[in-house]
Amino acid sequence: MPIEHSDNNINLRFVNLSKFYTEAGREIKVIDNLNVEFNQGEVVALIGKSGSGKTTLLNLISGIDHPDSGEIWLGNTLLNDLSEEELTLIRRNRVGIVFQFFNLIPTLSVIENVSLPRELNGSQGINSRASAEELLTRVGLGDRLNSYPDVLSGGEQQRVAIARALINDPDIILADEPTGNLDEDTAKEILELILEVTREAEKTLIMATHSNEVINYADKVYTIHNGNLIPE
Ligand SMILES: Nc1ncnc2c1ncn2[C@@H]1O[C@H](COP(=O)(O)OP(=O)(O)OP(=O)(O)O)[C@@H](O)[C@H]1O
Ligand SMILES: [Mg+2]
């Protein structure tokens, strides 16, 4: 059973968190004894140069990667204690992820891509499709429900991915360079959409980005440098 923690407004907490990789016998400290807390509903931008550890940190939060030491708390749940199976459930239910390269399933239609995480949770097809349709309408794709990802533009694919990230009503949205593969105008549109929908749904958003623009929209901006998060 996960250990309980008492602080309710804190949505995500790192305690003495460290992650290193060993390469050619040399230890690279990507995350070095990090202690940070994020509140429910906060919009957080993670910036930092390539290789600074943005993706590593997001993968630790989603349980795709595991810390070498320290703790990660998602609400009252200590991720360190969970099995791979439990982490899969956390990823499906409590964390919504938006990737740079969209990661849609090419053999599924738009509405099927968005309903899938809900159906994996045992929701009836008719209910999950209704929620997926509502979300797809919200992101401006109500008329593309039965299209397949390969006929959509990059911006449209990212809209589908945003709807998919929200379908199980997660506590937290993680976005790793969500606009990195889009032209400038589309990137701005998608950035605004992510911010709008996450604020509207009062989700915590942790977004890794190279875009300076996001700094104007975020509640908190951190630069990752030498394994630490430095507030702007
Ligand atoms: N599986 C791994 N094995 C060894 N080193 C790794 C591994 N994954 C990441 N690293 C190293 O950890 C560091 C941080 O990588 P990470 O991908 O988190 O950076 P990033 O900030 O996301 O960079 P980018 O902006 O290019 O996406 C890099 O030095 C990288 O080489
Ligand atoms: Mg990265």
Side-chain angles (χ1 to χ4, degrees):
M1 276 300 287
I3 296 169
E4 292 300 304
H5 199 282
S6 61
D7 222 329
N8 279 333
N9 201 24
I10 291 172
N11 186 233
L12 175 66
R13 178 200 301 263
F14 307 135
V15 183
N16 300 328
L17 182 68
S18 292
K19 175 76 191 173
F20 20 88
Y21 292 112
T22 311
E23 210 169 61
R26 200 170 69 93
E27 194 175 79
I28 306 167
K29 274 203 168 149
V30 184
I31 307 292
D32 190 6
N33 202 31
L34 209 52
N35 288 283
V36 185
E37 296 172 349
F38 304 100
N39 289 322
Q40 182 67 45
E42 251 174 356
V43 169
V44 178
L46 283 182
I47 55 177
K49 47 182 205 220
S50 184
S52 59
K54 303 181 294 296
T55 297
T56 302
L57 191 59
L58 294 177
N59 287 345
L60 290 170
I61 300 168
S62 64
I64 292 171
D65 207 347
H66 307 290
D68 287 295
S69 61
E71 298 173 350
I72 302 176
W73 292 88
L74 195 58
N76 295 331
T77 310
L78 178 58
L79 296 193
N80 305 59
D81 286 351
L82 305 185
S83 64
E84 289 300 329
E85 232 165 26
E86 288 170 316
L87 286 171
T88 302
L89 288 179
I90 294 268
R91 260 195 302 284
R92 193 185 298 152
N93 295 317
R94 296 185 52 193
V95 182
I97 310 180
V98 180
F99 300 92
Q100 178 174 354
F101 295 102
F102 324 131
N103 290 13
L104 302 177
I105 298 174
T107 53
L108 297 182
S109 68
V110 160
I111 192 162
E112 288 164 348
N113 263 283
V114 176
S115 351
L116 182 67
R118 183 84 179 254
E119 278 173 30
L120 288 172
N121 264 356
S123 170
Q124 295 225 321
I126 191 163
N127 296 332
S128 58
R129 283 182 77 92
S131 310
E133 184 170 349
E134 199 178 305
L135 279 168
L136 282 162
T137 304
R138 173 67 189 83
V139 299
L141 289 178
D143 56 350
R144 305 302 295 273
L145 303 181
N146 297 308
S147 300
Y148 282 80
D150 64 349
V151 302
L152 301 182
S153 71
E156 288 165 344
Q157 290 184 56
Q158 199 59 306
R159 288 171 188 270
V160 177
I162 292 165
R164 178 182 58 183
L166 288 163
I167 187 87
N168 281 334
D169 196 25
D171 305 328
I172 182 164
I173 305 280
L174 305 177
D176 194 355
E177 302 279 356
T179 62
N181 205 36
L182 302 171
D183 67 67
E184 201 178 318
D185 289 346
T186 311
K188 189 162 192 292
E189 270 171 41
I190 291 296
L191 178 63
E192 283 171 359
L193 179 67
I194 292 181
L195 293 163
E196 253 172 51
V197 294
T198 51
R199 287 219 191 261
E200 199 174 84
E202 297 175 349
K203 306 297 180 198
T204 306
L205 172 66
I206 316 274
M207 176 154 50
T209 180
H210 285 286
S211 145
N212 282 331
E213 186 140 20
V214 78
I215 295 167
N216 305 319
Y217 297 90
D219 299 321
K220 281 186 184 161
V221 179
Y222 287 101
T223 304
I224 305 199
H225 183 65
N226 287 340
N228 277 304
L229 287 189
I230 299 153
E232 287 288 300

